[in-house]
Amino acid sequence: MNATPEIIQGGQYNIGHICTRMQCDRGLGDKVAMRWLGAHGERADYTFGDLERQSSRFANVVGDLGVAPGEVFFIFLPKMPEVFFAFLGGLKARAITGTLFANFGEEALLDRLGDAGCKAILTRQSYLKKFQRIRDKLPTLKHILLVDAEKDLAPDVLSYPRLMAAASERFETALTPPETPSVLHYTSGSTGKPKGALHHHRSVLHQSRTAAEVLDLKPDDRYWCTADQGWVTGTSYGIIGPWSLGVTQLHFGGAYDAEKWFRLLQDERVSVWYTAPTALRMLMREDPALFGRFDLSGVRHIFSVGEPLNPEVISWGRKVLGHDIYDTWWQTETGGILITNRPGLEIRPGSMGRPLPWIEAAIVADDGTVLPDGEHGNLCLKPGWDSMFISYFHHEDVYRQKFRHGWYLTGDTAYRDADGYYWFQGRSDDVINTSGHLVSPFEVESALLEVAGIAEAGVIGASDDLLWEKVVAFVALRPGAAWGPELELKARIHVSNRVSTVATPQEFRVLENIPKTKSGKIMRRVLKARYTGGSVGDVSTLDFQDGANKEQP
Ligand code: AMP
């Protein structure tokens, strides 16, 4: 319904093919597709021809290892050139290709690899020990490929350089119909384990179109997306959208560093920059003199995604950077931008913007009634855009629950103003958004219960000036256990190792008991009220009165 048909040639929807071979066929083989800038000053340029050859080699590797179309292959690496080759190569081979944040701990890995039935993974030697501890629980995992091993380490722990050197750089991508499953991203909910949002190759239509019509990418642009490839922004707009248009991307392997970032924007003449509110808020805290030292006249547009973009950030952008910052709203499940401020549309600071012309959004009450402008309710979308997820992998029942009264429920609450702008209010569930990462309180609580001395745990998100939300953990101790710096450190390290560094609680509170409903569900709303000093609301279903639940010093 909303295709950019010129990117589809002969019915070939394969994302890997479109981002590489098709660009070469368009005459862009010698154009730089990716300028790689490493954390320690390394630089390397890869043309579309290089991308085509490297991804084709990897597609052959995937096939030779016996990963069949429709089977799952994962990448577990920090940002590095191999991530891009393997991602595109996996898709060419029609493997379902997933990317994982390199900061995931072993439990987070086990949940995702186990649920997906992952057959092969690309990682590096320093992460091997995480796999060794969970390996026997992953019966489907047949091959671990290491980017940095010159030789195979075991029959199932293989050298990526060796495999790549032996593979042909020619690969004829089989005709891939639009409904063929493509990318898999796990996303956290407030209950249960994370779910894998599965996409299809058809999503390239929406990603390409929005890269052109929202990000306004032009053939000569130099585009920088700061997102990690473990997150959907890193694949939809850090790989697929821009390369489907033949646009040059910068990729930087270092962490946040204001000076390095501004040098990169200046020296690399970045023209379109896609980043996130936490990063922008960190920049706002820097000495304003820093910005004056750099010439950012090459920058044409700045976009943001992942968390609410505060109006103050927009006025800072105008004053200090001389630019509007366009907010974009979307989520793992939507596969691409749906509601947005964009060039040519008046920005209302604090609003996410308006839905794209081909997207129907509404604010809907729990009973399915579409609410009038100004009223708060569930942010819902009419299903049917090209990049919409096709299922939660292996959890069709949970997928179906996301649709009601003909609407897709995003899990966000919002309101719409009289001019059709949408204003984000929050989540309708307990998922925590900390610097753009969705963290499941359930996963953190489960990890905390494994710490000796902790009997119960309840985890909430509390508002934070920098991160939007921070992770706050309430714990109740076992008899005889005493809270102190040692136990707190143990708990932090444990969550970091088991779940991820971003999920590690910033703050702990100790209670005698964790408030629960009579059926044993943790009342996070009560914990939130306790944290903020707000009203607790109806507690008739609590298994004890909150007043009896004294906080310990
Ligand atoms: P994820 O699936 O990890 O990309 O997270 C998607 C969620 O992040 C959305 O459902 C929102 O709760 C939040 N989010 C993403 N973009 C925005 C935005 N521009 N403004 C407010 N919240 C956002």
Side-chain angles (χ1 to χ4, degrees):
M1 79 181 195
N2 48 31
T4 310
E6 54 274 24
I7 66 167
I8 302 306
Q9 293 174 344
Q12 178 53 287
Y13 280 80
N14 190 288
I15 292 171
H17 174 91
I18 288 170
C19 292
T20 61
R21 172 77 71 87
M22 211 197 79
Q23 305 308 319
C24 297
D25 292 347
R26 287 174 59 207
L28 301 180
D30 294 330
K31 179 177 178 180
V32 174
M34 167 166 66
R35 169 156 297 173
W36 171 253
L37 302 160
H40 308 292
E42 316 86 300
R43 290 165 75 87
D45 282 347
Y46 298 93
T47 62
F48 280 100
D50 294 327
L51 274 193
E52 156 62 9
R53 287 182 287 276
Q54 297 288 354
S55 60
S56 287
R57 278 184 195 275
F58 195 74
N60 284 316
V61 168
V62 166
D64 292 347
L65 291 176
V67 180
E71 290 189 323
V72 176
F73 155 71
F74 269 113
I75 300 165
F76 179 56
L77 285 171
K79 216 186 254 273
M80 57 168 63
E82 290 79 0
V83 169
F84 301 90
F85 310 149
F87 180 81
L88 296 170
L91 291 175
K92 279 184 170 178
R94 291 181 299 162
I96 293 176
T97 302
T99 50
L100 297 166
F101 278 111
N103 66 16
F104 277 150
E106 59 204 51
E107 189 71 22
L109 282 174
L110 178 61
D111 287 343
R112 289 158 175 84
L113 301 188
D115 181 71
C118 172
K119 186 113 185 241
I121 186 152
L122 177 66
T123 184
R124 67 181 189 189
Q125 297 201 48
S126 56
Y127 299 160
L128 253 188
K129 54 181 179 311
K130 291 193 188 185
F131 289 98
Q132 276 150 0
R133 287 197 283 263
I134 54 174
R135 190 65 208 269
D136 57 341
K137 296 183 194 142
L138 293 170
T140 60
L141 182 62
K142 299 287 179 248
H143 311 284
I144 299 179
L145 278 57
L146 300 175
V147 274
D148 52 352
E150 287 310 315
K151 290 191 296 208
D152 297 349
L153 301 191
D156 57 349
V157 184
L158 307 174
S159 156
Y160 166 92
R162 180 188 70 74
L163 292 167
M164 288 290 275
S168 164
E169 60 179 38
R170 294 289 299 170
F171 182 84
E172 289 310 320
T173 305
L175 192 69
T176 306
E179 302 76 26
T180 312
S182 58
V183 179
L184 182 64
H185 278 290
Y186 273 77
T187 178
S188 296
S190 51
T191 55
K193 300 282 189 186
K195 304 288 179 302
L198 182 63
H199 291 272
H200 52 180
H201 280 267
R202 178 199 200 105
S203 63
V204 66
L205 297 175
H206 183 88
Q207 290 149 353
S208 187
R209 183 172 182 185
T210 45
E213 296 184 19
V214 176
L215 303 181
D216 192 31
L217 292 180
K218 309 273 188 243
D220 291 333
D221 269 324
R222 295 165 67 80
Y223 165 74
W224 182 29
C225 172
T226 57
D228 188 274
Q229 272 56 50
W231 182 29
V232 69
T233 304
T235 56
S236 292
Y237 296 105
I239 301 182
I240 305 170
W243 281 341
S244 71
L245 298 171
V247 167
T248 300
Q249 300 199 56
L250 286 309
H251 278 297
F252 174 54
Y256 169 84
D257 177 317
E259 177 140 7
K260 279 193 186 156
W261 278 30
F262 272 76
R263 192 164 301 290
L264 192 158
L265 288 166
Q266 170 189 270
D267 294 354
E268 300 299 336
R269 308 282 304 157
V270 171
S271 51
V272 180
W273 185 30
Y274 199 9
T275 189
T278 294
L280 292 164
R281 288 191 290 262
M282 283 161 83
L283 287 172
M284 273 176 73
R285 295 181 172 195
E286 304 283 346
D287 179 355
L290 175 78
F291 308 111
R293 290 180 16 222
F294 294 97
D295 169 14
L296 300 189
S297 56
V299 176
R300 196 169 83 252
H301 298 309
I302 306 175
F303 295 89
S304 161
V305 63
E307 321 144 49
L309 183 67
N310 333 48
E312 308 83 70
V313 181
I314 296 183
S315 26
W316 169 83
R318 285 177 175 155
K319 201 163 94 209
V320 179
L321 306 180
H323 278 285
D324 279 331
I325 301 174
Y326 300 103
D327 192 9
T328 64
W329 177 94
W330 56 293
Q331 49 182 198
T332 305
E333 288 85 346
T334 72
I337 299 167
L338 296 191
I339 299 177
T340 174
N341 288 295
R342 49 194 179 270
L345 187 72
E346 179 216 339
I347 291 181
R348 302 243 162 122
S351 155
M352 311 186 280
R354 295 216 307 231
L356 294 169
W358 63 92
I359 296 298
E360 188 181 344
I363 302 300
V364 181
D366 290 343
D367 66 2
T369 318
V370 174
L371 294 171
D373 291 340
E375 281 195 30
H376 296 201
N378 301 300
L379 174 61
C380 289
L381 301 157
K382 261 288 157 286
W385 64 96
D386 287 317
S387 64
M388 177 161 184
F389 73 137
I390 52 172
S391 188
Y392 286 122
F393 202 39
H394 299 148
H395 296 279
E396 190 66 27
D397 50 332
V398 185
Y399 172 72
R400 278 198 297 270
Q401 286 163 20
K402 296 287 285 192
F403 300 88
R404 240 179 281 154
H405 310 289
W407 294 99
Y408 163 67
L409 277 91
T410 65
D412 286 358
T413 56
Y415 71 90
R416 186 175 71 176
D417 69 20
D419 298 314
Y421 282 76
Y422 281 76
W423 299 74
F424 179 83
Q425 296 299 293
R427 296 277 311 179
S428 57
D429 55 21
D430 293 327
V431 171
I432 302 164
N433 186 332
T434 183
S435 66
H437 295 271
L438 295 193
V439 169
S440 148
F442 171 78
E443 279 186 87
V444 182
E445 286 157 3
S446 307
L448 286 171
L449 294 184
E450 294 167 349
V451 178
I454 295 182
E456 292 184 292
V459 170
I460 58 161
S463 67
D464 183 80
D465 286 348
L466 183 63
L467 307 171
W468 182 252
E469 287 188 316
K470 62 183 168 189
V471 180
V472 175
F474 287 81
V475 292
L477 300 181
R478 291 190 181 286
W483 188 253
E486 206 179 312
L487 186 51
E488 179 168 334
L489 184 65
K490 251 191 213 162
R492 279 184 203 280
I493 293 175
H494 191 75
V495 176
S496 171
N497 286 342
R498 296 290 274 176
V499 189
S500 78
T501 45
V502 290
T504 307
Q506 308 260 329
E507 217 179 305
F508 284 89
R509 299 269 174 107
V510 183
L511 297 179
E512 278 171 23
N513 294 292
I514 299 296
K516 288 193 278 331
T517 59
K518 291 199 169 66
S519 60
K521 210 168 146 243
I522 294 164
M523 295 287 278
R524 300 200 184 96
R525 141 175 94 77
V526 174
L527 294 174
K528 272 197 180 184
R530 172 178 281 281
Y531 188 84
T532 56
S535 144
V536 171
D538 177 16
V539 290
S540 55
T541 56
L542 279 185
D543 70 350
F544 59 85
Q545 286 306 302
D546 191 44
N549 189 18
K550 298 270 178 326
E551 202 157 321
Q552 296 187 353

